[in-house]
Amino acid sequence: MRLSNLLAPTLRETPAEAEIASHQLMLRAGLMRKVAAGIYTFLPLGHRAVSNVERIIREEMDRAGAQELRLPIVQPAELWEETGRWAAYGEEMWRVKDRHGRLFCLGPTHEEIVTDLVRNEVSSYRQLPINLYQIQFKYRDEIRPRFGVMRAREFVMKDAYSFHRDEASLHETYARMYEAYWRIFTRCGLDFRPVLADSGAIGGSYTHEFCALADAGEAALVHCDACGYAANVERAEAAPAEPRPAGATPPGPAERVATPGVRSIPELAAFLGVEAQETAKTLFFWSIHGDGRQELLAVLVRGDRDVNEVKLKNHLGALHVQMAGADEVREKCGVPVGFAGPVGLKGVRLLADVEVMAAPALVVGANAEDAHLRNVQPGRDFSPGAVLDLRLVGPGDACPECGAPLQGRRGIEVGQVFMLGTKYSEAMGATFLDEHGQARPVIMGCYGIGVTRTVAAVIEQHHDADGIVWPASVAPYQAVVVPVNVQEEAQRRAAEDIYRGLQAAGVEAVLDDRDERPGVKFKDADLVGFPFRVTVGKTLAEGQVEVTDRRTRETRRVPLPEAAAAVRERLAAALAGLDPDRRPFTPWSASPAERATAGARERV
Ligand code: ATP
Ligand code: MG
């Protein structure tokens, strides 16, 4: 491709609407343009990068035994009504009507469509397992589309769905998909971590998110360097609480203290001269259920902790939970929110975090304005309706598997693997006959990758002040040939020769044949981020050209006839660095001890 003819409009200025590097660079390097909020056109360079990620995904999906198909984007409401998700999906679902007034949606995901296919076409255990995937646009009317294609309303997803006769078969495919994801993101050049993630209220399921590590990521992660435990904080379990020391002197009776105007935990700790962890706070939430039921709840956690709303929601089997307002709490329970406490609290169910119950004595609100209680002993002075792990785990907390301190990172969720079980097959009657002729629901798994989000994540991790620094596997073109002055016949001809030589050598190359100043050409080459640049300039007089590595900036002179081979050689080395067979792999099922040593196990 010749740059004079390529629709690759680069921008010198950073567009004001773009907050993070990948969004800025995707616009500046001419990869995409915005059409509406969360909706983008991919220009030729952007399209090639997306296609490269798609190719890597296809190769690894096929290798893992999945079969590609194409399901419709436009999906009838009736199928979604069978699973109850037509109502439950909410505002994020993009709904459309046909000319007859029939309701459809633009697929946000495809469990219903694919389960419908399988219930019609698969009837015997002999046809299982089966793993079906597609790469296609998805539509989600996100409340806050942002960061370009990172959170878009139209985006490309690879989604796969597997169907099984038993749990063992599901586990086998899950492990295979987990490894395929490991290979895909390695090949894309991402620094990523698979983390345990929240599987919602569906009991017994298991799920991992694959997160590209980046400060701009929306996901908060914790991981343990000692044993390899890694989880999204939404999911991270707390380590068992230290039990209350046996024989510890019981506190005196609960005692009321005046705390005028002291509403926050730091204020309370300072006012009474205690540590925040010697206090407990009582928070109020509404739980909202699928059947429209709402319940007010009080949740007790240590003063220095936060409530994990996902754990709370899952425990309650609620659609979601939200903080209750002070007026609502006063009306229902007759207590002022800043001074609420578990002792004598009425009109509401009380849930307590395990750690609170292990404390010897606590300072809590007295359920009266400007007053707290101290020497409150959990179990003696109050008894919650349920005691469970409800707190948000963060960096510095003990690892739930080995006790070492956890580290914190941020990540971009680029993919997720999920054991679904029989949620969809039972709702839709997707059954098979087992070897005894008995009808049973198929057991399912599903596996998504955000393809366009992956391209953004790659840029987020691979850029510098001058532009994108593509990994060779994803780069829209692997090399650019730059004649410094196209008016000079010798330079122009040499550049043409190298360009053809690169194509013959299997290197995807562009020729910058534009009649532009060299500074402009070099700036564009850096901004677009071609991994290798061949510069044909002054050194041509000595029969030499320059080959520059975008990542290291290292420039080497090579004789003109060897230029294409030199690029091919360096490209091969760059691609070898992304080869998943040369990288250590940690399987998901490994025990903590196995995970700790897996990094050392090269699988060449
Ligand atoms: P998120 O929590 O980020 O909204 P999700 O859990 O809703 O993601 P899935 O339903 O698991 O996402 O979709 C599979 C993959 O699709 C995700 O791992 C992510 O990479 C990608 N994805 C999801 N929503 C978007 C979006 N709005 N824009 C771009 N990619 C997305
Ligand atoms: Mg989402």
Side-chain angles (χ1 to χ4, degrees):
M1 176 54 69
R2 287 156 200 276
L3 272 190
S4 60
N5 190 39
L6 182 68
L7 185 60
T10 53
L11 307 172
R12 286 286 160 262
E13 302 297 324
T14 301
E17 85 242 36
E19 294 164 64
I20 61 169
S22 56
H23 187 191
Q24 293 168 355
L25 287 169
M26 288 180 85
L27 295 171
R28 283 191 57 208
L31 304 187
M32 67 177 195
R33 288 292 181 260
K34 179 170 150 181
V35 175
I39 308 223
Y40 290 87
T41 291
F42 276 87
L43 276 62
L45 289 175
H47 175 65
R48 286 182 70 98
V50 174
S51 301
N52 283 334
V53 172
E54 290 180 0
R55 174 181 44 78
I56 291 170
I57 292 174
R58 269 197 186 93
E59 286 171 10
E60 295 298 337
M61 284 297 109
D62 295 347
R63 183 179 190 270
Q67 323 174 23
E68 187 167 6
L69 48 43
R70 200 177 293 265
L71 301 162
I73 286 175
V74 180
Q75 308 182 7
E78 292 76 38
L79 286 178
W80 289 78
E81 269 156 7
E82 289 188 43
T83 59
R85 289 212 293 179
W86 185 257
Y89 218 96
E91 301 266 52
E92 215 173 280
M93 181 184 267
W94 211 310
R95 294 160 213 255
V96 290
K97 254 188 208 163
D98 72 7
R99 62 170 75 202
H100 307 294
R102 286 189 211 108
L103 283 166
F104 293 81
C105 69
L106 305 181
T109 176
H110 278 73
E111 282 82 6
E112 280 78 0
I113 290 279
V114 77
T115 306
D116 177 54
L117 174 75
V118 167
R119 77 175 158 188
N120 293 332
E121 309 303 331
V122 172
S123 53
S124 158
Y125 71 93
R126 288 194 198 86
Q127 294 166 279
L128 299 173
I130 190 165
N131 190 357
L132 306 168
Y133 82 96
Q134 60 169 349
I135 299 179
Q136 193 192 58
F137 274 132
K138 291 280 182 281
Y139 295 83
R140 296 184 182 179
D141 197 359
E142 297 273 355
I143 185 165
R144 228 167 279 110
R146 59 179 197 153
F147 298 160
V149 291
M150 205 71 101
R151 183 164 297 284
R153 298 198 295 165
E154 175 185 84
F155 59 96
V156 181
M157 194 200 284
K158 184 284 300 179
D159 45 330
Y161 307 88
S162 67
F163 299 84
H164 309 269
R165 56 196 285 200
D166 55 27
E167 289 285 332
S169 166
L170 169 64
H171 279 237
E172 204 178 290
T173 297
Y174 187 88
R176 201 174 299 157
M177 294 299 269
Y178 182 103
E179 181 167 5
Y181 275 39
W182 186 289
R183 295 177 60 89
I184 288 164
F185 296 124
T186 299
R187 289 180 64 182
C188 289
L190 283 176
D191 180 12
F192 65 93
R193 241 174 226 278
V195 300
L196 285 170
D198 171 52
S199 57
I202 323 159
S205 342
Y206 210 85
T207 177
H208 286 89
E209 286 168 358
F210 283 73
C211 289
L213 301 177
D215 291 339
E218 290 181 325
L221 322 173
V222 286
H223 62 90
C224 173
D225 287 342
C227 77
Y229 175 84
N232 188 311
V233 293
E234 289 182 345
R235 157 68 200 258
E237 304 109 322
E242 295 278 320
R244 191 181 297 167
T249 350
E255 171 193 11
R256 191 176 168 120
V257 281
T259 51
V262 176
R263 284 173 182 277
S264 73
I265 294 292
E267 281 169 2
L268 179 65
F271 186 82
L272 295 178
V274 297
E275 298 292 331
Q277 64 198 55
E278 298 171 89
T279 72
K281 57 188 172 197
T282 308
L283 304 165
F284 294 84
F285 292 89
W286 286 108
S287 73
I288 294 132
H289 295 259
D291 54 9
R293 191 164 45 90
Q294 300 202 354
E295 186 190 359
L296 185 70
L297 296 145
V299 178
L300 193 65
V301 291
R302 229 168 62 180
D304 58 332
R305 305 296 195 192
D306 290 311
V307 173
N308 181 335
E309 293 186 16
V310 173
K311 288 180 184 172
L312 180 61
K313 179 187 82 151
N314 290 347
H315 171 69
L316 299 166
L319 275 187
H320 61 273
V321 294
Q322 67 189 48
M323 277 281 217
D327 293 345
E328 296 166 322
V329 174
R330 196 182 281 276
E331 189 189 306
K332 282 255 180 195
C333 321
V335 300
V337 160
F339 299 93
V343 183
L345 185 64
K346 294 201 179 64
V348 68
R349 187 146 64 106
L350 177 68
L351 306 176
D353 180 62
V354 276
E355 206 179 33
V356 167
M357 300 311 286
L362 291 164
V363 177
V364 299
N367 292 327
E369 205 71 49
D370 294 338
H372 280 82
L373 297 177
R374 70 172 156 213
N375 288 342
V376 168
Q377 187 174 23
R380 181 191 72 181
D381 297 323
F382 68 91
S383 300
V387 177
L388 64 153
D389 174 12
L390 279 174
R391 77 177 167 90
L392 198 63
V393 169
D397 285 347
C399 168
E401 286 193 355
C402 77
L406 291 169
Q407 320 286 315
R409 298 294 287 267
R410 295 203 71 83
I412 300 163
E413 181 202 323
V414 283
Q416 185 162 16
V417 290
F418 208 108
M419 293 189 193
L420 282 174
T422 55
K423 178 182 157 132
Y424 296 93
S425 52
E426 277 187 33
M428 298 184 69
T431 56
F432 69 99
L433 293 180
D434 69 12
E435 53 273 59
H436 309 296
Q438 283 220 322
R440 291 195 297 161
V442 284
I443 298 174
M444 291 174 61
C446 71
Y447 318 89
I449 292 182
V451 179
T452 35
R453 186 185 280 184
T454 295
V455 172
V458 166
I459 296 172
E460 204 54 46
Q461 285 188 356
H462 298 277
H463 68 270
D464 62 18
D466 298 317
I468 304 171
V469 188
W470 289 109
S473 54
V474 184
Y477 288 94
Q478 296 157 332
V480 59
V481 184
V482 182
V484 169
N485 182 357
V486 288
Q487 303 289 348
E488 281 200 23
E489 177 64 17
Q491 279 189 23
R492 205 159 45 98
R493 244 187 299 120
E496 285 278 353
D497 285 350
I498 295 168
Y499 172 58
R500 289 218 188 80
L502 284 170
Q503 286 179 323
V507 179
E508 292 161 7
V510 288
L511 175 64
D512 193 349
D513 57 343
R514 296 174 301 168
D515 191 6
E516 287 280 3
R517 284 177 293 115
V520 170
K521 293 185 175 188
F522 293 157
K523 272 211 158 63
D524 278 348
D526 282 353
L527 179 58
V528 174
F530 305 102
F532 301 101
R533 188 182 84 204
V534 183
T535 312
V536 183
K538 283 201 293 290
T539 57
L540 189 63
E542 301 149 43
Q544 293 196 319
V545 295
E546 289 175 345
V547 177
T548 304
D549 183 319
R550 173 68 181 85
R551 185 173 299 277
T552 60
R553 300 277 185 195
E554 185 211 346
T555 294
R556 248 198 305 169
R557 282 192 182 190
V558 294
L560 177 62
E562 289 166 29
V567 172
R568 191 188 51 194
E569 206 173 284
R570 288 165 151 226
L571 178 62
L575 289 171
L578 301 167
D579 182 350
D581 288 324
R582 295 171 181 236
R583 294 218 165 169
F585 168 67
T586 320
W588 75 278
S589 55
S591 70
E594 279 174 316
R595 279 205 303 266
T597 53
R601 205 171 56 223
E602 293 280 337
R603 297 182 325 130
V604 181

